[in-house]
């Protein structure tokens, strides 16, 4: 087989063939590859000039592939355009996130303020102390304990809804003519449930039934009040508290937010779906009262007074969103192309080892062709493109609903990964790559260590949840138990965790002491110190790495055995062919390599 045939098989076609549109640059010549594999007499002699030339070209291609952008620039004056794209992307994405964070804060703050307003308007006995989030809570759960309070709580909410025009906020009903919309009162209860305490007997049917009733709002309610008990009697309805699970009162209001309106932006319109729930699922004598508010952004219509000819701010925000989408798309295409080309080179290297060196490329060497940094960049590009699209629709008010949380998760996670991606370029400098090298060195040992530590942590978590859960507020659920133990590992709130434990049972009190002392001693004095020692040992290994002979893979030995070209022309000559291969040609080559 001549030199041109060998070169076409391993992607080393001359530049003249590429420019003339030869098929050798697009796909593999399967007949020549089969001939090379099937006929031993067609193999090149190890000392022939063609064999040496082919080996040199393969080494040069592999050496150039594993260079970092700085070495490629010094060797071939190849501009690091992917690095430039990442720098532009991180600036645009961070600017976009900062603007969206300010807008999102205003939105969340506005909805939270309306929730507090509705609590005062529709919840009887609401205390402003409940508006302050503190730990431990200053007040217990809002609950009612007798039938009269149950009915009066519903009456208070219905009267407040009927007199919504007296509220300071500009709230209105859902109907276009501002006529009142009847609220809906629902009860969720067992089909049958009666308790006869005098002889310890009962009747029970576990089927759950929900019944709803529209509460008609009349002018008399605004002046004389309302009685849900009499209203239920009029409609032949009765509440049996022995079988009652929940009672819900649902209604909705609309309002307009002038706070976001400015010289160049219109007001925002919202619909708030409000639900007051009286929860008796525990059936322990107390009915918990809760108010839920779901905000939905609406398309405003009607006459509004603001400057519509000058939409500078809206235009600039849209331009920023589109620029971010374009830059992230370019970044994703470049990284995807780099991954595909790396896989093509990997399969060419595998075939070269099998055909010419009569050996198999190790799996460790094959993993060297996978660049996890590029995969992470592709993931953050996808997240940012999706988040930017949702953000643009939110700002154009094309969403009838609340998509703020989804958009913030996409943009926030994408921005986090973008900043992580910058670390890749710092690893090219020996002065700054200590963190990445240490984490890479420590990953296998820390993974095994963390797995063992998780088993111990899970045992303490389930034990604490089961034994201490009913008597300790920090162990009420599995999630809160895990959070409490993780805080103890970091030394937070230790004394409060000891003192909050109830003292009803002396057995449990002593068990809680033994449990907490064992956990704190084991994890703080043993587990954490061992974990730090693993990290420090990896760091010391990295520091002393120049003095340690690191075992080489078969791929590294192959590249090191040959004479590295002394001039940039040698590498440039072989890599020019590779640079002119299109993205579609790369995909076809990988497909053909799988088929061969």
């Amino acid at each position: 087989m001549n030199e041109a045939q060998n070169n076409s098989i391993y992607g080393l076609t001359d530049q003249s063939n590429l420019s003339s549109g030869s098929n050798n640059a697009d796909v593999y010549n399967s007949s020549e590859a089969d001939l090379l594999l099937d006929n031993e007499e067609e193999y090149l002699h190890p000392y022939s000039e063609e064999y040496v030339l082919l080996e040199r070209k393969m080494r040069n291609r592999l050496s150039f592939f594993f260079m970092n952008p700085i070495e490629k620039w010094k060797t071939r004056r190849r501009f690091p355009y992917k690095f430039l794209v990442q720098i532009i992307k991180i600036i645009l994405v961070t600017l976009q996130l900062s603007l969206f964070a300010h807008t999102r804060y205003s939105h969340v703050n506005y909805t939270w303020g309306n929730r507090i307003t509705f609590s005062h308007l529709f919840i009887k006995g609401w205390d402003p102390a409940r508006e302050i989030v503190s730990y431990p809570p200053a007040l217990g759960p809002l609950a009612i304990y007798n039938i009269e309070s149950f009915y009066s709580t519903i009456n208070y909410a219905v009267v407040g809804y009927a007199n919504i025009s007296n509220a300071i906020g500009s709230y209105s009903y859902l109907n276009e003519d501002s006529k009142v919309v009847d609220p809906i009162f629902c009860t969720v209860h067992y089909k049958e449930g009666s308790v006869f305490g005098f002889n310890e007997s009962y009747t029970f049917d576990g089927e759950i039934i929900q019944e709803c009733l529209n509460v008609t709002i009349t002018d008399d309610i605004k002046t004389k009040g309302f009685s849900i008990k009499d209203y239920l009697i009029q409609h032949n309805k009765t509440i049996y508290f022995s079988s009652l699970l929940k009672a819900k009162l649902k209604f909705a209001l609309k309002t307009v937010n002038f706070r976001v309106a400015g010289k160049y932006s219109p007001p925002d319109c919202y619909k708030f779906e409000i639900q007051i729930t009286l929860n008796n699922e525990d059936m322990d004598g107390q009915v918990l009262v809760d108010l839920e508010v779901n905000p939905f952004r609406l398309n405003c219509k009607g006459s509004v007074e603001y400057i519509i000819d000058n939409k500078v701010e809206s235009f600039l925000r849209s331009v920023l969103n589109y620029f971010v989408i374009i830059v992230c798309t370019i970044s994703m295409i470049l990284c995807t192309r780099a991954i595909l080309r790396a896989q093509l080179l990997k399969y060419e290297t595998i075939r070269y080892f099998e055909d010419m060196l009569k050996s198999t490329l190790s799996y460790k060497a094959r993993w060297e062709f996978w660049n996890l940094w590029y995969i992470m960049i592709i993931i953050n590009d996808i997240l940012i493109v999706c988040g930017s699209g949702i953000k643009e629709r939110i700002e154009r008010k094309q969403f009838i609903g609340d998509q703020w949380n989804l958009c913030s998760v996409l943009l926030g996670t994408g921005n986090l990964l973008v900043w992580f991606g910058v670390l890749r370029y710092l690893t090219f400098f020996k002065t700054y790559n200590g963190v990445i090298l240490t984490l890479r060195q420590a990953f296998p040992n820390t993974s095994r260590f963390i797995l063992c530590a998780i088993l111990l942590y899970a045992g303490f978590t389930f034990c604490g949840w089961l034994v201490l859960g009913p008597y300790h507020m920090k162990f009420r659920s599995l999630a809160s138990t895990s959070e409490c133990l993780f805080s103890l590992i970091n030394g937070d709130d230790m004394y409060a965790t000891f003192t909050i434990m109830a003292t009803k049972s002396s057995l449990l009190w002593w068990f809680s002491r033994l449990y907490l002392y064992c956990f704190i001693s084991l994890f703080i004095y043993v587990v954490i110190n061992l974990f730090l020692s693993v990290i420090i040992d990896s760091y010391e290994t990295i520091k002393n790495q120049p003095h340690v002979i690191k075992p080489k893979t078969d791929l590294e030995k192959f590249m090191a055995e040959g004479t590295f070209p002394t001039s940039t022309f040698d590498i440039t000559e072989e890599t020019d062919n590779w640079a002119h291969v299109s993205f579609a040609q790369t995909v076809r080559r990988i497909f053909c390599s799988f088929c061969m």
Side-chain angles (χ1 to χ4, degrees):
M1 184 179 294
N2 56 31
E3 178 184 354
Q5 289 174 333
N6 283 301
N7 292 348
S8 65
I9 292 176
Y10 297 104
L12 303 175
T13 309
D14 292 337
Q15 185 64 33
S16 60
N17 293 335
L18 287 169
S19 60
S20 62
S22 175
N23 292 332
N24 292 336
D26 296 338
V27 297
Y28 290 98
N29 192 323
S30 59
S31 61
E32 294 175 351
D34 294 338
L35 185 62
L36 181 63
L37 292 172
D38 298 336
N39 301 327
E40 295 183 1
E41 63 272 9
E42 294 293 335
Y43 286 109
L44 295 175
H45 193 276
Y47 300 102
S48 64
E49 182 180 354
E50 292 84 357
Y51 182 92
V52 174
L53 179 61
L54 182 61
E55 182 182 16
R56 181 175 65 87
K57 288 183 177 182
M58 179 57 71
R59 281 199 177 99
N60 289 347
R61 284 188 57 192
L62 291 171
S63 300
F64 185 79
F65 172 78
F66 287 105
M67 288 182 182
N68 61 49
I70 298 177
E71 294 172 342
K72 290 180 179 179
W73 169 259
K74 293 178 180 179
T75 302
R76 192 183 163 195
R77 296 300 177 185
R78 180 178 176 179
F79 186 77
Y81 48 88
K82 285 194 285 290
F83 173 70
L84 180 62
V85 170
Q86 297 304 317
I87 293 298
I88 296 175
K89 184 176 73 174
I90 195 172
I91 295 174
L92 294 178
V93 168
T94 304
L95 177 61
Q96 180 195 47
L97 182 139
S98 301
L99 296 175
F100 183 74
H102 175 74
T103 306
R104 171 172 162 75
Y105 175 80
S106 301
H107 167 76
V108 173
N109 190 52
Y110 177 73
T111 55
W112 175 255
N114 279 276
R115 186 185 185 280
I116 294 176
T117 300
F118 296 146
S119 298
H120 283 277
L121 291 176
F122 306 127
I123 300 296
K124 184 178 181 181
W126 179 260
D127 193 336
R130 302 183 184 278
E131 301 164 11
I132 303 173
V133 180
S134 60
Y135 181 82
L139 300 173
L142 179 60
I144 52 180
Y145 301 92
N146 55 67
I147 297 177
E148 186 62 30
S149 298
F150 179 90
Y151 288 126
S152 63
T153 300
I154 300 174
N155 296 338
Y156 184 87
V158 173
V159 173
Y161 175 71
N163 293 284
I164 195 62
S165 58
N166 295 332
I168 295 178
S170 56
Y171 302 109
S172 58
Y173 303 111
L174 293 186
N175 283 339
E176 298 294 333
D177 54 3
S178 193
K179 288 185 178 180
V180 63
V181 179
D182 294 340
I184 301 175
F185 178 73
C186 298
T187 58
V188 181
H189 58 85
Y190 292 118
K191 186 175 182 179
E192 184 177 359
S194 301
V195 177
F196 307 100
F198 60 91
N199 61 355
E200 299 88 23
S201 62
Y202 61 87
T203 58
F204 178 72
D205 188 338
E207 181 183 353
I208 297 177
I209 299 175
Q210 176 173 308
E211 298 179 343
C212 294
L213 180 67
N214 289 341
V215 179
T216 304
I217 302 298
T218 62
D219 294 336
D220 293 338
I221 293 179
K222 299 179 181 180
T223 57
K224 298 180 181 179
F226 176 75
S227 174
I228 185 64
K229 184 177 182 180
D230 297 337
Y231 189 83
L232 292 174
I233 293 175
Q234 293 175 8
H235 291 79
N236 298 322
K237 300 289 184 181
T238 304
I239 296 179
Y240 296 98
F241 290 92
S242 59
S243 61
L244 179 67
L245 294 174
K246 283 184 181 179
K248 297 180 286 187
L249 183 67
K250 298 183 286 187
F251 51 89
L253 295 172
K254 293 192 297 186
T255 186
V256 179
N257 182 16
F258 289 151
R259 174 67 180 82
V260 299
K263 185 177 180 181
Y264 306 119
S265 57
D268 285 337
C269 297
Y270 288 92
K271 178 184 75 171
F272 292 100
E273 292 184 351
I274 304 168
Q275 175 175 298
I276 300 173
T277 304
L278 287 77
N279 192 339
N280 190 40
E281 288 182 332
D282 291 338
M283 292 191 174
D284 54 358
Q286 65 173 357
V287 179
L288 303 179
V289 182
D290 183 44
L291 183 140
E292 298 178 3
V293 179
N294 294 319
F296 292 90
R297 199 173 183 182
L298 304 177
N299 287 327
C300 295
K301 56 184 178 180
S303 177
V304 289
E305 294 294 335
Y306 68 100
I307 301 176
I308 60 176
D309 295 332
N310 192 350
K311 299 181 179 180
V312 177
E313 181 181 358
S314 177
F315 174 75
L316 292 178
R317 286 178 181 267
S318 296
V319 168
L320 178 60
N321 293 335
Y322 290 129
F323 263 120
V324 169
I325 293 175
I326 293 172
V327 172
C328 290
T329 303
I330 294 174
S331 172
M332 182 168 55
I333 292 174
L334 292 176
C335 293
T336 303
R337 187 186 66 170
I339 290 177
L340 292 178
R341 288 183 171 181
Q343 296 310 299
L344 178 58
L345 181 59
K346 180 181 74 173
Y347 289 116
E348 291 178 357
T349 306
I350 292 174
R351 290 188 60 82
Y352 180 86
F353 270 65
E354 293 175 351
D355 299 344
M356 310 300 291
L357 303 182
K358 303 298 184 180
S359 63
T360 302
L361 188 65
S362 64
Y363 287 101
K364 183 178 181 181
R366 297 182 186 189
W367 272 107
E368 295 293 330
F369 290 91
W370 282 102
N371 194 323
L372 299 182
W373 290 105
Y374 286 158
I375 296 176
M376 186 185 71
I377 292 174
I378 292 174
I379 293 174
N380 74 60
D381 287 333
I382 295 174
L383 294 176
I384 293 174
V385 168
C386 295
S388 299
I390 297 175
K391 178 178 179 291
E392 178 64 18
R393 297 190 66 182
I394 289 176
E395 292 174 348
R396 288 179 175 269
K397 299 180 176 60
Q398 294 179 354
F399 268 134
I400 306 301
D402 188 11
Q403 299 293 330
W404 295 83
N405 292 333
L406 175 61
C407 182
S408 62
V409 169
L410 293 175
L411 290 181
T413 307
N415 190 272
L416 173 67
L417 297 180
V418 166
W419 282 96
F420 281 178
V422 179
L423 287 174
R424 171 180 179 262
Y425 298 96
L426 293 180
T427 58
F428 302 147
F429 303 93
K430 295 183 179 180
T431 311
Y432 298 99
N433 64 346
V435 175
I436 299 299
L437 293 179
T438 302
L439 293 178
R440 183 184 302 173
Q441 178 72 23
F443 179 76
N445 293 330
T446 54
S447 299
R448 291 188 288 267
F449 184 85
I450 290 175
L451 176 61
C452 298
I454 286 177
L455 298 178
L456 295 175
Y457 187 83
F460 276 97
T461 301
F462 284 105
C463 177
W465 177 38
L466 173 64
V467 180
L468 306 181
Y471 304 98
H472 200 297
M473 62 178 300
K474 292 186 177 182
F475 293 82
R476 294 287 170 84
S477 65
L478 187 62
S480 63
T481 302
S482 177
E483 293 162 2
C484 174
L485 295 181
F486 189 79
S487 299
L488 290 176
I489 293 176
N490 293 277
D492 296 337
D493 214 13
M494 284 192 181
Y495 182 74
T497 305
F498 278 92
T499 56
I500 291 175
M501 179 64 191
T503 58
K504 276 188 175 182
S505 172
S506 59
L507 173 64
L508 292 180
W509 188 88
W510 283 107
F511 177 84
S512 67
R513 265 52 188 172
L514 179 63
Y515 170 84
L516 292 175
Y517 279 125
C518 290
F519 177 81
I520 293 173
S521 301
L522 177 62
F523 275 85
I524 291 183
Y525 302 126
V526 179
V527 175
I528 290 183
N529 286 290
L530 289 176
F531 182 79
L532 292 177
S533 65
V534 173
I535 301 294
I536 294 174
D537 181 66
S538 300
Y539 178 72
E540 293 295 333
T541 303
I542 295 299
K543 281 180 60 179
N544 300 325
Q545 196 170 25
H547 309 288
V548 178
I549 300 177
K550 184 180 178 181
K552 294 182 178 181
T553 63
D554 50 356
L555 182 63
E556 293 173 338
K557 292 178 181 179
F558 170 74
M559 292 189 295
E561 285 174 359
T563 303
F564 194 81
T566 56
S567 64
T568 60
F569 175 77
D570 293 334
I571 291 183
T572 306
E573 183 179 8
E574 280 86 39
T575 55
D576 278 340
N577 298 332
W578 181 249
H580 285 80
V581 179
S582 65
F583 181 77
Q585 292 170 350
T586 303
V587 176
R588 288 198 297 271
R589 281 189 172 187
I590 292 178
F591 177 77
C592 292
S593 66
F594 276 114
C595 297
M596 291 183 64

